[in-house]
Structures are given as C-alpha cells and as structure tokens.
Amino acid sequence: MQLFKNLFSRPLSIQLTVTSSNGFHLRPVAQFVNEAKSFECSVEATFHGKTVDAKKVNTLLSLSLEKEDTFTLTIQGKEAEKALKVLQTRFNTLMQDDKEVVAIEKESASYDGEVLDGDIISKGVAIASTYLYKTEEIQHNNTLSFNAAITQTRKALETQGTDIALAQKALLVSLEEKSNSLETLEQNIHKEIEALQGTKLFAKSVDYQDILQQVKKALGLEVKITFPSEKFILLADDLLPSEIAMLANNTEVQGVILKETSINSHTAILLRASGIASLIADTSKIPLDREILLDSFAGLVVLTPSSDDIEKAKALQEKTNVQKAHSASKRFDTVLTPSGKQIKVLANVGDIQSAKIAKDEGAEGIGLLRTEFLFKSVKPSLQAQTDALKEIFSTFDDITVRTLDVGGDKALPYIDIPLESNPFLGLRGVRLFRTHPEILSEQLHAIFVASKGKRIKIMFPMVSNVDEFRKAKSFAQEVAKTHTIDIRNIDFGIMIEVPSVLFLIEAFNEVVDFYSIGTNDLTQYLFAIERTHPLLKVDELSPVVFSALETVVKQATKPVSICGELAANTDAIEKLINLGLTTLSVSPKSVAQTKETIRHV
Ligand code: PEP
Ligand code: MG
C-alpha cells in the first residue's frame, strides 16, 4: 500500500530564484547536487521549458542559470516532502554564502609610459619581464586503464578536499557515466565547453580542462608548463585552477595577466588567495619578453615604463610590503583604540578548520561556535560529537558554544522539522528543546564531557522570553545530573536576536551570565525582511539597529558581546565601540582587518 502511495504520490514543486551575481555556478551546484542525491526521490529542475535531472552536476549546470533567473524544482517520491524543505533552505544558504566580487575598485595612479587598462583580480605591484604561458606534453609509461585513471583522479580531488576540488570531482562524476575512453571524455568535455560559450558561466570551462588534464596525467600524458628561472610576469589566455599553487610556490612569478578569465572564476579566486598581483587585460597588446610594470591597485599595465614610473612603483611595492607585514605582525597583539580602550576580537567558527584559521589570524577566542554544521549529513554519535568539540575547545581559552540553531535558513537532513509556511517564525533555535529534546540532550552531554575542567560559555539561540531561557538551562542541568557531571565550569547566556528581548533585559539580567548580540537575525526580525530574501535587503547600518544595540548595552548588567556580521563592518566598528561594546566576534578571515580598524577608530 505504502509503495503504491509513494509511486503515485503527487510531485511537489517550488520556484527558486538565483540571487548571486555569480549565477548558479559550479561550487554551489556541486553542493546542491550532493544534498539532492541523499534523498530517495527524483529531483528535477525546469528552466525556459528545459527539464533536467537536478541530481547531476553537468545537467543542472547546463541550464546556465544566472542572477534573477527563476527555475522550478520538482520533487517526487518517498522523501519528497523532506527533500523539498532541505533543498529550499540549502539553495538559499548557498546563494547567500556565495560572496560575489562585483568589481574591485581601482585606485588612481598616473604614469609617463603607455598604459593598458584591465580589471583587477588581485591587488599588487610587479615589475618584471613578460613571459608567455607555454606547455609541452610528455608521454610517460602508462600502466593504468582509463577507468583506473578516472578513479585515481577522483580520489586525488577528494583528498584535496577544498570546495573547488570537490566541485571538480562532482563534475568528473557526472562526465564519467557517459565516457568510456579518453577520447569520449575529451569529446564530452568539448561539448560541455561549447555549450558554455557566450554564457556568464564560460569561466567554468577551465574546470573542465583541468579535469581532462588531470585524467591525462594519470594516464601518463603529462602537460608540463615551463617557467623562466628569473622573475617574470605571466601572460596567458587563462590558467587552470590546479596550476596556481605550483605557480605561487615553485616559481619566481611576480604578476599574472589573463585575457579570458572572469573575476569570479576559480582561477581568479585562487590567485587572490595566493596574493599574486593579477589583472584581466588584452594580453595580445602586451610585448613579450620585455620589462613592464603591472599596477593592479590601479588596474593598469604600463607597457613602456619610464625610470620615474619604475621608481614610483618600487615605492608603492615597499609601502604595501610594510603595511602587510605591519598588520600581519600585529595580528596577535591585544588591540587598543587610539584612546587606550582594550577591545577583544574573537572569531565565529563552525569546525576545527575554521578554529585553526581563527588562531592563525590572531583571534583571541571563539565568540560563537555554530554547532549546526559540525555534522552536515549524518547524525553524529555522542563520541564523535565529544571528540570534535574537545578538539575545537582546545584551540583557545575563551570559548562560547551555541546549542543547535536549526530551522529558518538552516536545515540538517537528520533533524525532521514539519513543513512550515513561515520557517523563520517557526521551529528554530531554542524552540527545538520542545520538539527534539533527545538531540539537544545528547549535544549538551557531549559539550559537558568535552569541556571537563575548562571554563566555557554555552548560549541558546533565538530566545524570546525569560521562561524559555530558564527551561533550557534547567534542561541542561538535568542532563548534567543524569550523567553525574559537574557543570560549575559553565556559564549560560543567550543570543539576542529576537526583538522582544530588547524589552526584557532587566528580567534577563537576573538569570543569564552573558549576552551575545546576533545582528544578522535581530536585523531581519526588526525590519520583517527575511535575511535570505532575493529582492528585499535591509540596511544593516540603519540607526534602528544601533538604537537596539544601545538599549541592550545601557541596560545589561552582564557582559555583552556582538557576533553578527555587523561586528566586522568597517563602517560600524567605531560606532559599536562608542556604544560601549568591548568584545567583537567576527569571521576568522576578518580578525586581522577588524583589529587594524579598531586601532584607528
Ligand atoms: C546572528 O543571527 O547574527 C548570528 C550570529 O547567528 P547566525 O548568523 O548563525 O544565525
Ligand atoms: Mg542567528
């Protein structure tokens, strides 16, 4: 009976709108497909009359979805209802997290020599001879079959584990099904690249070429790039993402000028991450093997630099190096405002990798550990949770961990929340204590065991009244009692992200040990604008937000910190400090910059 019900169940569908100006491109598509595959149901996407399997990377990509395109997701089968909910929230989060680089602002500069204009990929200054990208193919002895070469390439990408490598792996998996030899793989890749011609997603074609090159290499056909032994500025149509690390670590490269990439391509992302001065410009207009000047602060190539131009560029280079060294060397220092007030800069982290980055970037502790994405696909065992938390807790002395904040824009496949018309106003955060006590109980148990002997803070998300906090804290105390764990090392507090709390601070002062203001949600609820909404956007710098913060800081008698995105906004930091906030928790990569901003408020 059940089988018939599933077979003939009506399809569910939903409209999704692409909000990232990068389009629905390879990395988010790969993550979306991964999620879609975990459900027992069919998932299809329809756009402009074309319907494709949304459980396959290449077919979903073939829709070439760009910003503001709305497509229909149709789901049918046993887990359709659950899949619809999870995929909708996953899509929204992917769109929101897909930070777009619109255009990097150019600084003004004037040079005597003839200049060529370009688009900035990565800022810097380089003075060196140009060198044209060259490759040669070398055939080594090959012992692998085509299938074994594919498996080896897939495993290598998996081991690298970066978002880009995993996205390439997903592409390879989708090509694998229809390719049974190097020849057919090559043909399929050419077809995919052809289909991308003229679309905004053309920059993705290097990912296809990269895969082909890696499979060829596994088959003994190495494509070797040759570089000069002295300093050079590389000119190329485009580079493969896998070539950037080698270029940055094993050569004397000073700068890179590419003709055909886009500022959001994987190649561009990796060039920025490696800090190589890089520009997009018409390389055919640049002389070969001649000394040029690349000023990618100004988005310029000086083709015929005068001696004055060279002097000017050298001075800029020197200044940049000193500045970089200065903020990097000071990132571990405690930070004081010019008037001598000490401000603590902590980090918002989600796993051990981000905690380690935070440490490396100079964070003084963890101001928000988002536990919901510590285990994204399967429900962890108590032991797995305890081990992961213990490792993260060991990175800093100052730790604030948040209990599961699932619901709204965040979903986990193993936490079943009924379909709601307004998920942001429904079961999320601390409200899960009512509906999923066993999951929270296990999480608290893991936190207690992992924090044994260490002072830590636990905070509850989405608290809207005092009773909710009291119940959550008593629940935690019961868990400790059941497992006979002493939790006197733990402080309990709340996230301030629901506006009702603004009117209850006096009552909360009686029960909480601390507050952490989550401006991301607080702003969405103050303005009644969903934080993932494709069209509506709130101004996070609105005086309304600062007035809410002032209310909290003035009335709170317990320590207050801020962990929303606003804490890293360079236009907000001075105001936050003037309001009296002394602890800011920001994303790991924003720590050094936030500290530098504080030093100059
Ligand atoms: C917030 O709401 O400001 C916050 C920090 O929490 P999250 O972004 O995880 O909801
Ligand atoms: Mg929040």
Side-chain angles (χ1 to χ4, degrees):
M1 212 34 216
Q2 181 64 26
L3 179 70
F4 282 108
K5 199 174 155 213
N6 292 334
L7 276 177
F8 297 108
S9 61
R10 291 222 339 256
L12 301 176
S13 65
I14 188 167
Q15 308 267 331
L16 298 174
T17 302
V18 178
T19 55
S20 162
S21 62
N22 301 333
F24 194 19
H25 64 100
L26 180 55
R27 262 171 300 130
V29 161
Q31 291 176 36
F32 183 85
V33 164
N34 224 7
E35 192 87 67
K37 277 188 190 158
S38 67
F39 294 105
E40 274 186 58
C41 53
S42 65
V43 184
E44 289 182 333
T46 305
F47 180 62
H48 282 172
K50 181 176 169 188
T51 298
V52 300
D53 185 353
K55 283 186 168 185
K56 287 189 180 150
V57 173
N58 62 334
T59 54
L60 187 51
L61 277 173
S62 73
L63 294 181
S64 295
L65 292 159
E66 297 187 4
K67 188 175 180 183
E68 283 171 18
D69 285 344
T70 297
F71 66 101
T72 308
L73 201 68
T74 308
I75 306 181
Q76 186 167 22
K78 195 172 163 198
E79 294 189 296
E81 199 174 305
K82 190 169 164 197
L84 182 85
K85 215 166 6 119
V86 172
L87 291 175
Q88 180 183 14
T89 46
R90 187 86 177 113
F91 179 80
N92 287 336
T93 314
L94 285 169
M95 286 294 107
Q96 200 188 18
D97 290 351
D98 193 39
K99 294 277 181 281
E100 50 194 271
V101 179
V102 183
I104 300 175
E105 213 172 299
K106 296 177 184 176
E107 291 169 25
S108 65
S110 78
Y111 290 99
D112 303 333
E114 186 192 345
V115 294
L116 176 70
D117 222 7
D119 291 325
I120 303 170
I121 297 176
S122 167
K123 288 188 173 182
V125 184
I127 309 155
S129 250
T130 50
Y131 178 78
L132 188 66
Y133 175 87
K134 286 186 201 81
T135 58
E136 54 175 306
E137 289 195 349
I138 306 168
Q139 181 66 63
H140 301 285
N141 282 342
N142 172 37
T143 49
L144 287 187
S145 67
F146 174 71
N147 285 343
I150 293 272
T151 309
Q152 184 175 307
T153 311
R154 201 179 340 105
K155 282 196 179 142
L157 289 167
E158 217 165 77
T159 312
Q160 285 173 42
T162 60
D163 282 356
I164 294 175
L166 293 176
Q168 289 189 348
K169 190 203 102 182
L171 263 192
L172 177 60
V173 170
S174 59
L175 287 162
E176 220 178 306
E177 291 167 7
K178 43 185 185 172
S179 315
N180 51 17
S181 63
L182 183 59
E183 208 181 3
T184 49
L185 178 71
E186 243 171 327
Q187 283 164 359
N188 287 325
I189 283 182
H190 285 309
K191 266 192 230 152
E192 301 287 353
I193 293 176
E194 245 166 54
L196 292 171
Q197 292 278 3
T199 73
K200 242 185 121 186
L201 299 178
F202 185 69
K204 186 166 57 67
S205 57
V206 288
D207 289 298
Y208 280 110
Q209 286 163 3
D210 214 348
I211 291 170
L212 184 60
Q213 192 154 308
Q214 291 174 57
V215 175
K216 279 184 174 175
K217 192 171 174 195
L219 286 168
L221 186 65
E222 188 187 350
V223 180
K224 206 164 173 230
I225 319 162
T226 47
F227 292 115
S229 52
E230 61 278 6
K231 293 179 175 174
F232 65 98
I233 292 176
L234 184 67
L235 308 182
D237 285 348
D238 203 348
L239 290 171
L240 301 182
S242 65
E243 290 167 346
I244 309 298
M246 186 268 296
L247 188 65
N249 300 326
N250 306 335
T251 77
E252 290 291 324
V253 72
Q254 304 296 297
V256 170
I257 306 174
L258 300 177
K259 192 176 175 190
E260 284 167 3
T261 194
S262 83
I263 58 167
N264 285 304
S265 69
H266 287 166
T267 301
I269 292 170
L270 292 171
L271 280 169
R272 269 194 292 281
S274 62
I276 303 173
S278 320
L279 200 69
I280 305 172
D282 185 353
T283 48
S284 66
K285 296 192 174 138
I286 304 174
L288 294 182
D289 304 319
R290 184 109 61 81
E291 185 176 78
I292 60 158
L293 192 167
L294 166 64
D295 176 354
S296 61
F297 285 104
L300 292 177
V301 184
V302 188
L303 303 171
T304 50
S306 67
S307 51
D308 271 3
D309 290 341
I310 300 278
E311 283 314 307
K312 208 188 276 178
K314 280 189 177 159
L316 183 57
Q317 239 173 2
E318 179 64 20
K319 193 175 142 209
T320 316
N321 290 343
V322 170
Q323 268 171 359
K324 267 195 201 157
H326 179 76
S327 71
S329 71
K330 291 187 81 177
R331 71 191 194 278
F332 295 113
D333 296 357
T334 49
V335 58
L336 302 177
T337 65
S339 63
K341 191 172 180 185
Q342 187 171 339
I343 307 292
K344 244 184 170 182
V345 180
L346 311 178
N348 299 339
V349 307
D351 51 24
I352 184 65
Q353 282 78 19
S354 51
K356 283 182 178 163
I357 294 173
K359 186 95 192 169
D360 211 42
E361 293 289 326
E364 295 161 81
I366 294 176
L368 164 64
L369 169 56
R370 290 184 166 102
T371 53
E372 48 278 3
F373 294 128
L374 210 43
F375 301 96
K376 288 186 198 154
S377 43
V378 279
K379 190 187 154 308
S381 65
L382 173 68
Q383 192 59 46
Q385 287 199 67
T386 311
D387 292 347
L389 290 166
K390 210 183 244 173
E391 198 182 359
I392 297 173
F393 291 173
S394 72
T395 53
F396 290 99
D397 290 337
D398 191 346
I399 301 277
T400 303
V401 52
R402 180 173 77 183
T403 54
L404 271 178
D405 185 19
V406 176
D409 59 333
K410 305 183 193 107
L412 283 179
Y414 53 89
I415 298 189
D416 205 16
I417 299 173
L419 205 56
E420 298 170 304
S421 323
N422 294 301
F424 281 98
L425 303 179
L427 289 172
R428 58 167 304 200
V430 77
R431 298 166 189 179
L432 292 173
F433 275 84
R434 284 191 237 170
T435 53
H436 296 72
E438 61 306 329
I439 291 212
L440 269 312
S441 160
E442 192 167 70
Q443 184 184 47
L444 285 161
H445 186 184
I447 296 174
F448 296 157
V449 176
S451 67
K452 247 180 201 161
K454 186 180 179 100
R455 190 119 225 115
I456 66 154
K457 301 188 190 89
I458 293 182
M459 66 181 168
F460 302 119
M462 292 295 298
V463 171
S464 60
N465 63 59
V466 175
D467 196 41
E468 229 164 15
F469 171 78
R470 276 213 186 94
K471 284 190 175 136
K473 185 175 170 184
S474 316
F475 181 93
Q477 285 165 330
E478 272 310 304
V479 173
K481 210 164 135 198
T482 309
H483 300 286
T484 50
I485 304 175
D486 181 354
I487 56 165
R488 278 175 297 177
N489 58 321
I490 292 176
D491 287 337
F492 286 94
I494 59 164
M495 295 273 298
I496 299 185
E497 43 191 358
V498 182
S500 57
V501 175
L502 301 174
F503 305 93
L504 297 168
I505 298 291
E506 276 183 21
F508 271 111
N509 283 337
E510 303 295 316
V511 288
V512 302
D513 297 317
F514 67 94
Y515 301 99
S516 179
I517 309 176
T519 47
N520 308 339
D521 275 310
L522 184 60
T523 311
Q524 102 163 328
Y525 293 119
L526 279 171
F527 288 90
I529 290 182
E530 199 182 299
R531 61 198 268 186
T532 54
H533 199 285
L535 302 174
L536 306 172
K537 290 271 167 288
V538 257
D539 173 14
E540 67 166 357
L541 294 169
S542 157
V544 172
V545 177
F546 289 98
S547 166
L549 300 185
E550 191 174 5
T551 304
V552 177
V553 177
K554 276 201 172 143
Q555 296 184 36
T557 55
K558 299 290 168 66
V560 182
S561 62
I562 170 167
C563 65
E565 293 291 309
L566 189 68
N569 186 324
T570 44
D571 294 326
I573 291 173
E574 183 164 4
K575 284 190 196 151
L576 297 176
I577 292 171
N578 289 342
L579 281 177
L581 283 156
T582 52
T583 306
L584 312 183
S585 191
V586 302
S587 67
K589 285 285 180 193
S590 303
V591 170
Q593 168 69 49
T594 304
K595 284 190 165 185
E596 201 52 29
T597 309
I598 295 168
R599 290 190 185 104
H600 298 101
V601 292

